[in-house]
Amino acid sequence: MEEESITAMNQQQRSHLLHASSRFSPPLGLKFSYGTAGFRADASLLESTVFRMGILAALRSVQTGSTIGLMITASHNKESDNGVKVADPSGGMLSQSWEPFADALSNAPDAQSLVQLIEFFVRKESISLDGVCKAEVLLGRDTRSSGVSLLEAAKEGIASIMGAKATDMGVVTTPQLHWMVRAKNKGIEASEYNYYEQLLTSFRCLLDYIPEGNKSKNAGGKVAVDGADGVGGQKLEKLTSKLNNLTINVRNCGDGVLNEGVGADYVQKEKVVPRGFGPADAGIRCVSLDGDADRLVYFCVSSNSNNIELVDGDKILSLFALYLKEQLGLLVGPQNEKSNSSYQPHLGVVQTAYANGASTDYLKKLGLEVVLTPTGVKYLHEKAAEYDIGIYFEANGHGTILFSDSFLSWLETRNKDLSSTSKGSDQHKATVRLLATSKLINQAVGDALSGFLLVEAILQHMGWTFQKWIELYHDLPSKQLKVKVADRTAISTANAETVVVNPVGLQEAIDSEIAKYSHGRCFVRPSGTEDVVRVYAEASTQEAADNLAHSVVKLVDQYLGASNS
Ligand code: G16
């Protein structure tokens, strides 16, 4: 048999790939690993990885016949780091089935072995590379200066697959790029302008449908936003003048160092005010975005210290859950009760082990189904997609609400029927609100800008003050710490990261510590974005949570050999 007939890559393509790859050698002695949300490392080490992810994105596009996204960002990490996230045709994260290939690609030692690996993979996946393939990759980057050259490396990777086209969307938030990929594959114009239009139209629609009695109560008002000195603040500024009754003051838009003493990760983990905020902000709603604007948390500043009252992803999720449950109740009768409708949409909530115990209790008391997955929106998203309406949020503020296609088409039909038979009825209003919510909240991935607008619309819908939201339930005191160890991969976990499997004996030692504290809960896991092990502890007092976390840090040191903590 001729070689050409058993291979999925022709000779011209093979030489082209070999030639292009020979300019991008990986740094010696390093092992790259596809982590919680793609690859992350010091930016100076990433050129070959980003080039190779360009190849991967193009191959994924050929295989799926759809547009793929590639975002250059290290999100919440320090400015000197960078990274790469890949968006699948739905706009969600790259299919987990491709992660081993991403790992292998990034670690291939030279151009020859890289091309061999690709040849083997394309044959296995029946991807035909005949020099005339059709593929498109949308590229975006955050504000990191290293992103400029890394984006060029990505473009070269894409160009090494003959026929593949790279379209540079410029400096965008990660969720904007994911949104554009989804839009493009649905035949909608994938522009930043369209993204803003969709957000603004659905936000205004939700405001138009606020119940009469709540219209004047606590409407809009002042909000101060910490942009983490990244891309999110700059993008939000484009919207501020168009948001009716909200006065938004955006700070940390890029004059300071990205993520340093600012941003959602800092505020959520340290529980102190970010740079540029202080006692003068007491009483107003404050919001922090992360470096690439896929996470948000709210916080309330104390009038006499740097402390804050944190309103994290769990409380955002709880607000969303309450609102959606109310709308479904209006539409089909209360969830979990005998309904007056033949169709009962299934509403589910997805969290991780980081969810504060008080939030999970609150959600369960609402009668909602709550499921835990490991950390990483790729896991939460997949689980949430099993519901008609799946709400997922990590405590760190990363999350969204997914509406199934079947539920949306049922809702569209219901909306049409009700607008001709009982326009203006509670049922009709609920269909309008649910449809607008599905357009406002990013269906591809967690999005700080769309999440922010939905929170603001719901607070106005409920007629709630910030304080009322804060008091929805009271968080159990918690503490998060990071430990630098010699090899974080020596830790493996099970049961949604709540149990350490390796090293043997560590879990028993953690359990004995937990037993010393009232309402004690603690778990450890290797980070998938930073070279650390994370420790989370919860207990009935802050002092107890701090002590539990510190004693478990010592155990991690003991079992794994700290490099320093
Ligand atoms: C990424 C993921 C999140 C995850 C976070 C921290 O966020 O998208 O799902 O919670 O990393 O992960 P880890 O604890 O493994 O370091 P981002 O905003 O940094 O892209």
Side-chain angles (χ1 to χ4, degrees):
M1 200 186 284
E2 291 277 315
E3 195 202 1
E4 213 54 19
S5 62
I6 56 161
T7 178
M9 190 192 297
N10 73 14
Q11 189 51 45
Q12 198 190 2
Q13 170 65 78
R14 189 182 297 112
S15 345
H16 183 61
L17 199 48
L18 201 57
H19 177 72
S21 306
S22 59
R23 297 198 304 278
F24 293 92
S25 305
L28 288 176
L30 279 181
K31 186 165 186 304
F32 292 97
S33 168
Y34 190 98
T36 313
F39 293 96
R40 283 192 204 176
D42 188 275
S44 63
L45 305 171
L46 277 174
E47 214 186 24
S48 76
T49 300
V50 172
F51 166 80
R52 291 162 182 212
M53 286 311 101
I55 299 178
L56 176 139
L59 294 177
R60 183 80 179 141
S61 177
V62 178
Q63 191 205 41
T64 57
S66 303
T67 298
I68 296 293
L70 196 149
M71 179 76 193
I72 313 285
T73 178
S75 188
H76 74 272
N77 293 45
K78 57 189 180 201
E79 154 83 34
S80 54
D81 280 356
N82 216 325
V84 56
K85 295 179 176 178
V86 181
D88 243 7
S90 64
M93 298 289 195
L94 173 71
S95 162
Q96 287 171 50
S97 64
W98 274 51
E99 289 185 12
F101 177 54
D103 269 335
L105 270 193
S106 62
N107 290 306
D110 50 46
Q112 279 288 354
S113 45
L114 180 76
V115 174
Q116 267 170 24
L117 195 68
I118 295 170
E119 273 199 292
F120 175 77
F121 184 77
V122 294
R123 205 173 300 140
K124 181 168 93 45
E125 296 287 322
S126 309
I127 298 171
S128 171
L129 298 182
D130 50 10
V132 289
C133 77
K134 268 189 127 182
E136 183 177 23
V137 181
L138 301 189
L139 288 165
R141 66 176 179 92
D142 69 15
T143 50
R144 286 173 164 86
S145 50
S146 58
V148 178
S149 60
L150 289 176
L151 195 104
E152 291 309 312
K155 281 184 186 164
E156 293 211 36
I158 296 161
S160 70
I161 300 301
M162 293 165 69
K165 174 180 159 204
T167 307
D168 186 357
M169 308 311 290
V171 173
V172 286
T173 71
T174 296
Q176 283 179 329
L177 188 81
H178 284 253
W179 184 93
M180 288 168 187
V181 170
R182 184 180 173 84
K184 179 94 200 203
N185 288 320
K186 282 185 173 288
I188 300 166
E189 197 191 322
S191 68
E192 215 178 309
Y193 174 82
N194 271 30
Y195 167 87
Y196 293 129
E197 275 307 296
Q198 182 166 324
L199 258 54
L200 286 171
T201 311
S202 44
F203 175 70
R204 287 178 187 139
C205 173
L206 289 180
L207 296 195
D208 286 346
Y209 277 77
I210 289 175
E212 277 310 318
N214 291 342
K215 274 202 167 135
S216 53
K217 276 198 224 164
N218 307 304
K222 279 193 193 164
V223 192
V225 179
D226 157 30
D229 280 318
V231 59
Q234 299 173 9
K235 299 296 180 185
L236 181 59
E237 277 194 319
K238 297 191 179 188
L239 288 177
T240 49
S241 61
K242 299 178 178 138
L243 293 172
N244 312 33
N245 54 7
L246 286 175
T247 309
I248 303 175
N249 173 221
V250 192
R251 304 176 197 168
N252 304 331
C253 283
D255 291 340
V257 181
L258 175 73
N259 293 335
E260 203 173 283
V262 289
D265 200 62
Y266 174 77
V267 169
Q268 190 243 347
K269 301 241 164 48
E270 304 300 325
K271 297 198 185 101
V272 291
V273 288
R275 180 170 18 91
F277 286 69
D281 298 309
I284 62 167
R285 293 188 297 288
C286 297
V287 184
S288 221
L289 319 179
D290 78 336
D292 62 342
D294 59 6
R295 304 193 212 167
L296 81 161
V297 292
Y298 274 70
F299 60 97
C300 181
V301 175
S302 150
S303 56
N304 54 14
S305 74
N306 273 342
N307 294 337
I308 57 161
E309 181 97 50
L310 178 70
V311 181
D312 62 4
D314 301 336
K315 221 164 237 177
I316 296 174
L317 184 158
S318 302
L319 181 74
F320 289 177
L322 206 60
Y323 174 74
L324 292 169
K325 193 170 182 289
E326 180 194 281
Q327 299 316 309
L328 286 177
L330 291 175
L331 187 58
V332 293
Q335 287 269 302
N336 306 324
E337 280 177 29
K338 203 168 176 337
S339 146
N340 48 20
S341 160
S342 55
Y343 179 53
Q344 264 295 329
H346 199 179
L347 173 65
V349 166
V350 189
Q351 299 189 299
T352 70
Y354 287 110
N356 194 280
S359 76
T360 312
D361 284 351
Y362 174 79
L363 292 161
K364 285 186 175 163
K365 278 188 195 131
L366 281 183
L368 293 169
E369 186 173 318
V370 184
V371 191
L372 287 197
T373 71
T375 301
V377 287
K378 60 187 177 188
Y379 301 115
L380 290 104
H381 190 100
E382 194 178 45
K383 191 73 206 164
E386 291 175 13
Y387 297 93
D388 292 308
I389 304 182
I391 318 172
Y392 72 85
F393 256 91
E394 296 183 297
N396 63 23
H398 202 157
T400 192
I401 307 168
L402 300 183
F403 290 77
S404 72
D405 286 345
S406 57
F407 176 60
L408 282 178
S409 65
W410 177 81
L411 209 52
E412 294 279 6
T413 314
R414 202 78 195 94
N415 178 255
K416 247 187 227 150
D417 293 349
L418 289 166
S419 46
S420 58
T421 58
S422 47
K423 198 174 171 125
S425 64
D426 281 351
Q427 276 193 318
H428 176 241
K429 286 179 186 160
T431 60
V432 176
R433 290 187 194 116
L434 287 167
L435 285 168
T437 304
S438 75
K439 294 196 174 88
L440 175 54
I441 197 80
N442 197 322
Q443 296 295 289
V445 79
D447 180 342
L449 301 189
S450 80
F452 163 65
L453 293 182
L454 185 58
V455 167
E456 291 300 321
I458 296 177
L459 289 178
Q460 292 189 43
H461 170 93
M462 306 277 205
W464 280 11
T465 59
F466 190 24
Q467 199 54 34
K468 178 143 188 196
W469 181 26
I470 291 172
E471 284 168 10
L472 200 56
Y473 58 80
H474 295 284
D475 277 329
L476 278 167
S478 67
K479 183 75 182 172
Q480 286 192 57
L481 294 172
K482 304 182 194 186
V483 199
K484 264 236 170 254
V485 295
D487 175 15
R488 74 190 200 274
T489 62
I491 288 203
S492 61
T493 62
N495 296 357
E497 302 174 320
T498 53
V499 177
V500 178
V501 176
N502 278 306
V504 174
L506 177 55
Q507 185 59 49
E508 287 70 20
I510 295 173
D511 288 342
S512 322
E513 278 307 312
I514 294 174
K516 297 178 189 166
Y517 297 88
S518 151
H519 290 98
R521 184 167 78 87
C522 184
F523 66 91
V524 304
R525 54 174 285 276
S527 162
T529 61
E530 296 174 55
D531 191 15
V532 294
V533 168
R534 298 198 195 280
V535 174
Y536 176 87
E538 218 171 78
S540 53
T541 66
Q542 190 59 54
E543 193 188 357
D546 292 354
N547 290 341
L548 176 56
H550 283 288
S551 51
V552 171
V553 164
K554 283 197 194 121
L555 290 174
V556 172
D557 279 354
Q558 206 178 305
Y559 276 79
L560 286 159
S563 63
N564 58 59
S565 41

